Amino acid sequence: MNPRKAYPVARATETAFETISLAKLSPELARSHFHALLLANPNYFGNLIDSEFPAVLKISGDTAYESLGCVGYNPQLHQLRATINIKQSGGYSGGLCTGGSEEYVRFYLSYDGGATWQDQGLQAVNVFDVPGPKPLEYAVSLSISPKEEFCFLQNLPVVRAILSWNSPPPAGSPNWPPVWGDVLDARIQVEGFELILLSSLLEEAKVKLPEEIEQVIDLGQTIQVAQPKALSPIDLHKLYAEAKVPQHRYLAPALASAAGSFVSASKGVVSQTAHATVSKSAGVFAGISGINLASLVGDWLSTKGNTTYEQLDCVGLDPNTSQLVGVLKVKQSSGYSGSPCTAGSQEYVAFWVDWGSGWEYAGTTSVGVHDFSSIAAGGLEYNVFLPVDLLSHAQPCFEGPKTATVRGVLSWNTPPSTTNPYAPVVWGNSHEGLILVPPGPFIGDGQQVPVLSAVGDVETSKIGADGRIINATTITTGAHYADAPFGGRITLAGQISNPTPGLKYRVMKAPHGTAAFTPVVNEPDGLTLVINTFSGGVWTQTDQTFHADGDGYYPYQNYSPDHFVEGELLGAWYSTAADSGNAYDLRVDLSVDGNPAHDIHSDVVTLLVNNETPTAILTPTFGECGKVAPGDTISGVFTATATDFGSFGFTILPPGPANGVLPVPPSGASVELGGAIADPGVVNMAFALNTTGMDPCGYSLTLGVWDRTNVNSGQTSNYNQDSIGFCLQVATVS
């Protein structure tokens, strides 16, 4: 087959592709030329539905290089996580000292069993060619805001994750098949309301207030839900009287409490005094009829690693957040100490890491689980996470890859051992995985060094020396930027190796290439951080505001696995219009002894700022007062420009009577974003709106123009618009 007849490519490109024969490429060679092949033919791999381009090499859902391991949700912190298995030593666009390639995951939610899907967003992780054992286990995380219900209503949506290597799954396309990658669905649990509208509560209770009471009550006020109650052993015995939940399951926490420390941490053997200790604490079980303590204790002590109710299936590392991740499956509908309106129970996971010298305890985390009237056959998928200090274990990329083995130990409602990674658990199991420690500067034992890891929610490795984003997906928001400057509120994230409470740091800024560094402070309002704390077996998340001292130093809050800052945020710089077109150098300084001259400095990152508003001009040609007859064509010209042009698009309001009609062209995008428009955009470009198919109505036609700037740290881009109004009406006969 002659490629020149099949694909509309430029002559120079045709010659190059003819030389390597597009139709005869092996899958391995096709992978190495992935983007070039898609440029020549968007359907080269035959994974597009209803494409006008013929398939050449049919590859769809190929998992030879990467695949999804597990997908789960943390209902307490509203976070989706997926683990990714990297299976080969090559095929990822380069080693650790290169840019490598991206593994993209787009998440969807369905509340109707998969009939419809709601796009939740995109995340990505950087991967490389790494020799040695496989698979390497990665993870990605995404915070979401799912639809909540009352706690007594089952809210168990389906989550879908689409993994795609080096090509982001398109938005709003839940059935899109990746070339390399796969699709995984899982059922999750969404927690109930924490705050309830009074009007919603009355509606759910089917209560109609008398009119005179409605007039004096604010039905829009919110009510704080009651603190969930932990069920006692007697409550649990009554709850499971008719269920097939064994006593040594639902009474396990009471048994463990009564027995005390019955496991030898060093040897993992059952103490011979456990029977006697429980027997002496028989008062714990007073009031429970038909209980045989000897039999109960025997069943409990003989149960080891039972996975009937829960099982840890995946562990991995999210290098974007420096967190170990585990995904576990809850298999039964009951046996978890109560419904979502109660405190339920905890699934604990202790993480251990072998950095090369044997197991080191990293910490324990948990996620809350509950009973439901019924669950799907596949169970419910939950995730747990634990921050880990990666900096102190990193090595430079030129020294080669450094891997570590992670062991997760799952234990239901009783924390696992913190001194023995192989200590047996009653209900749960263990799972191990291999992770890649992200490369970084060498840091000595116990040395405390600040590292600036992300700016504007973009990894610093994805920012060029000119201060522009090369090509990256933001860490938290999942937005994609290419050849882009920064604007608005610019967040700065990073860590300090071997952290301890009491450290002080400050963010410093200087005009590019100068030594005129000054502190970036957020005073007098202060710096508000989201602090995650693990206490009493549960995670809590609070907003806390911190103030800089006279020299611009803030207290470091990301100092332990059970007290860390969401997103590893260190500060925020509010850039202004006066900064546009200028580049600035940023760094983090760690205070050593209170003398700024002795501070330890981080790496320096350069940013280019653009807070300019794009140009949007819409110039139509109509008749008198914008009156148009159905079927007429509105024509004219428009200008859509920006220093860093992103895209333009037309919208018509109201959309209903417009019936989907849009001007030609309806939209366009920058070449940097996969389109065909070069900077600075289009000037006096012709457009035409054929009103055929639109209902008679008054309309507004709006031209929206976006640039490529990363504004407000992955939230948006600089934007402008211009609108015209017109009236589509049928002429009246006098």
Side-chain angles (χ1 to χ4, degrees):
M1 181 173 67
N2 187 335
R4 284 181 291 178
K5 293 182 180 179
Y7 315 115
V9 295
R11 173 66 61 180
T13 307
E14 289 177 32
T15 303
F17 284 143
E18 285 179 339
T19 301
I20 63 174
S21 183
L22 279 178
K24 297 180 181 179
L25 288 181
S26 67
E28 293 76 17
L29 190 56
R31 186 173 168 101
S32 67
H33 294 284
F34 185 54
H35 287 141
L37 294 172
L38 291 180
L39 179 63
N41 176 359
N43 195 36
Y44 180 89
F45 297 96
N47 67 312
L48 301 183
I49 301 172
D50 300 326
S51 174
E52 62 185 41
F53 294 93
V56 179
L57 177 63
K58 290 191 176 181
I59 300 177
S60 181
D62 189 313
T63 57
Y65 289 86
E66 56 275 297
S67 65
L68 288 165
C70 301
V71 178
Y73 181 61
N74 190 302
Q76 284 81 58
L77 295 183
H78 315 295
Q79 293 170 337
L80 286 170
R81 289 184 171 87
T83 62
I84 302 168
N85 305 318
I86 297 301
K87 303 178 178 181
Q88 305 294 335
S89 296
Y92 306 97
S93 304
L96 291 178
C97 291
T98 73
S101 54
E102 301 287 330
E103 299 285 356
Y104 294 95
V105 179
R106 185 174 289 279
F107 293 96
Y108 292 87
L109 282 186
S110 176
Y111 296 91
D112 52 16
T116 60
W117 296 91
Q118 298 178 10
D119 194 334
Q120 301 300 298
L122 181 73
Q123 280 294 15
V125 65
N126 208 182
V127 295
F128 309 90
D129 296 342
V130 177
K134 298 292 179 299
L136 293 174
E137 308 282 358
Y138 289 82
V140 292
S141 310
L142 181 70
S143 296
I144 63 172
S145 299
K147 181 179 67 176
E148 295 180 339
E149 300 281 3
F150 289 97
C151 66
F152 49 80
L153 298 176
Q154 289 200 166
N155 191 3
L156 307 176
V158 179
V159 59
R160 170 168 291 176
I162 302 178
L163 168 69
S164 175
W165 175 75
N166 239 10
S167 177
S173 303
N175 297 314
W176 182 80
V179 178
W180 278 283
D182 61 346
V183 181
L184 184 61
D185 291 353
R187 184 78 63 169
I188 64 171
Q189 177 218 340
V190 175
E191 279 202 331
F193 295 120
E194 293 182 1
L195 297 173
I196 303 174
L197 280 176
L198 177 58
S199 58
S200 299
L201 180 62
L202 295 174
E203 182 181 352
E204 182 66 30
K206 297 180 172 54
V207 172
K208 175 64 177 174
L209 295 177
E211 185 176 344
E212 59 271 20
I213 295 180
E214 279 193 356
Q215 292 176 350
V216 296
I217 291 180
D218 178 12
L219 296 179
Q221 66 181 292
T222 56
I223 301 173
Q224 178 72 47
V225 300
Q227 188 71 22
K229 173 189 174 184
L231 301 185
S232 69
I234 296 177
D235 294 332
L236 294 171
H237 186 68
K238 293 177 180 178
L239 176 65
Y240 296 128
E242 302 299 325
K244 296 181 180 179
V245 180
Q247 287 186 344
H248 68 289
R249 166 72 181 188
Y250 64 80
L251 294 177
L255 287 164
S257 176
S261 180
F262 70 97
V263 174
S264 167
S266 61
K267 297 182 180 179
V269 296
V270 177
S271 167
Q272 297 300 314
T273 62
H275 282 277
T277 306
V278 174
S279 297
K280 291 178 181 178
S281 304
V284 174
F285 307 101
I288 301 179
S289 60
I291 191 170
N292 183 325
L293 272 179
S295 175
L296 175 63
V297 173
D299 290 341
W300 175 56
L301 292 179
S302 62
T303 302
K304 294 183 178 67
N306 189 303
T307 56
T308 302
Y309 287 85
E310 55 275 299
Q311 182 170 321
L312 180 64
D313 290 325
C314 295
V315 294
L317 172 69
D318 183 348
N320 293 329
T321 59
S322 301
Q323 291 177 359
L324 298 174
V325 170
V327 179
L328 61 99
K329 182 189 299 292
V330 164
K331 301 180 177 182
Q332 307 296 330
S333 60
S334 62
Y336 305 95
S337 304
S339 74
C341 291
T342 72
S345 55
Q346 295 291 312
E347 300 284 0
Y348 290 95
V349 176
F351 281 107
W352 298 77
V353 185
D354 182 354
W355 303 102
S357 302
W359 292 116
E360 294 182 21
Y361 174 64
T364 298
T365 183
S366 74
V367 62
V369 296
H370 300 85
D371 294 345
F372 294 93
S373 59
S374 64
I375 61 174
L380 301 176
E381 302 284 350
Y382 294 82
N383 75 61
V384 293
F385 63 92
L386 186 77
V388 63
D389 178 16
L390 298 173
L391 293 178
S392 59
H393 300 282
Q395 64 186 27
C397 67
F398 53 80
E399 291 191 6
K402 181 177 181 180
T403 58
T405 304
V406 175
R407 179 178 176 85
V409 182
L410 168 68
S411 176
W412 176 72
N413 237 8
T414 302
S417 171
T418 62
T419 58
N420 182 1
Y422 297 106
V425 298
V426 180
W427 303 96
N429 69 308
S430 62
H431 189 86
E432 294 183 7
L434 187 68
I435 64 170
L436 175 70
V437 181
F442 175 78
I443 294 175
D445 292 343
Q447 187 179 9
Q448 294 180 321
V449 176
V451 172
L452 187 56
S453 60
V455 178
D457 208 32
V458 174
E459 292 178 53
T460 55
S461 63
K462 303 296 179 66
I463 302 172
D466 58 357
R468 302 173 72 89
I469 301 168
I470 301 168
N471 192 330
T473 300
T474 52
I475 296 170
T476 304
T477 66
H480 177 250
Y481 296 95
D483 188 28
F486 296 80
R489 179 178 181 266
I490 302 171
T491 58
L492 298 100
Q495 314 89 37
I496 297 172
S497 61
N498 299 297
T500 53
L503 296 179
K504 296 172 66 177
Y505 72 94
R506 60 182 181 177
V507 175
M508 305 291 283
K509 174 175 69 74
H512 178 53
T514 74
F517 281 94
T518 57
V520 175
V521 295
N522 301 101
E523 304 307 322
D525 295 333
L527 175 65
T528 299
L529 304 174
V530 179
I531 306 297
N532 297 289
T533 55
F534 187 69
S535 177
V538 296
W539 284 103
T540 57
Q541 198 172 68
T542 57
D543 291 345
Q544 298 182 31
T545 300
F546 303 91
H547 292 277
D549 64 17
D551 292 317
Y553 293 95
Y554 287 95
Y556 188 62
Q557 297 297 315
N558 205 51
Y559 52 74
S560 76
D562 55 9
H563 189 287
F564 73 96
V565 179
E566 186 72 21
E568 300 175 328
L569 194 67
L570 295 173
W573 168 33
Y574 291 83
S575 65
T576 67
D579 298 314
S580 289
N582 298 319
Y584 296 88
D585 294 336
L586 298 164
R587 75 178 191 221
V588 178
D589 289 0
L590 171 63
S591 177
V592 176
D593 55 12
N595 184 345
H598 298 161
D599 284 357
I600 300 173
H601 300 162
S602 76
D603 47 321
V604 175
V605 178
T606 300
L607 293 191
L608 178 65
V609 178
N610 180 5
N611 286 311
E612 298 175 354
T613 302
T615 298
I617 303 173
L618 185 57
T619 309
T621 56
F622 313 106
E624 182 182 355
C625 297
K627 295 179 180 178
V628 181
D632 285 355
T633 295
I634 300 173
S635 60
V637 296
F638 69 95
T639 293
T641 59
T643 302
D644 300 285
F645 176 76
S647 63
F648 75 84
F650 284 100
T651 56
I652 295 180
L653 296 177
N659 297 316
V661 175
L662 286 173
V664 177
S667 60
S670 163
V671 292
E672 302 292 346
L673 302 178
I677 303 174
D679 289 339
V682 297
V683 177
N684 290 331
M685 186 174 188
F687 77 92
L689 172 62
N690 186 331
T691 61
T692 300
M694 298 175 64
D695 298 336
C697 188
Y699 293 98
S700 67
L701 174 64
T702 299
L703 167 69
V705 182
W706 296 261
D707 74 358
R708 297 194 305 277
T709 304
N710 175 1
V711 174
N712 295 336
S713 303
Q715 297 291 335
T716 184
S717 298
N718 292 314
Y719 174 76
N720 197 9
Q721 67 179 42
D722 192 18
S723 299
I724 61 168
F726 64 95
C727 184
L728 192 62
Q729 62 183 28
V730 179
T732 58
V733 179
S734 57

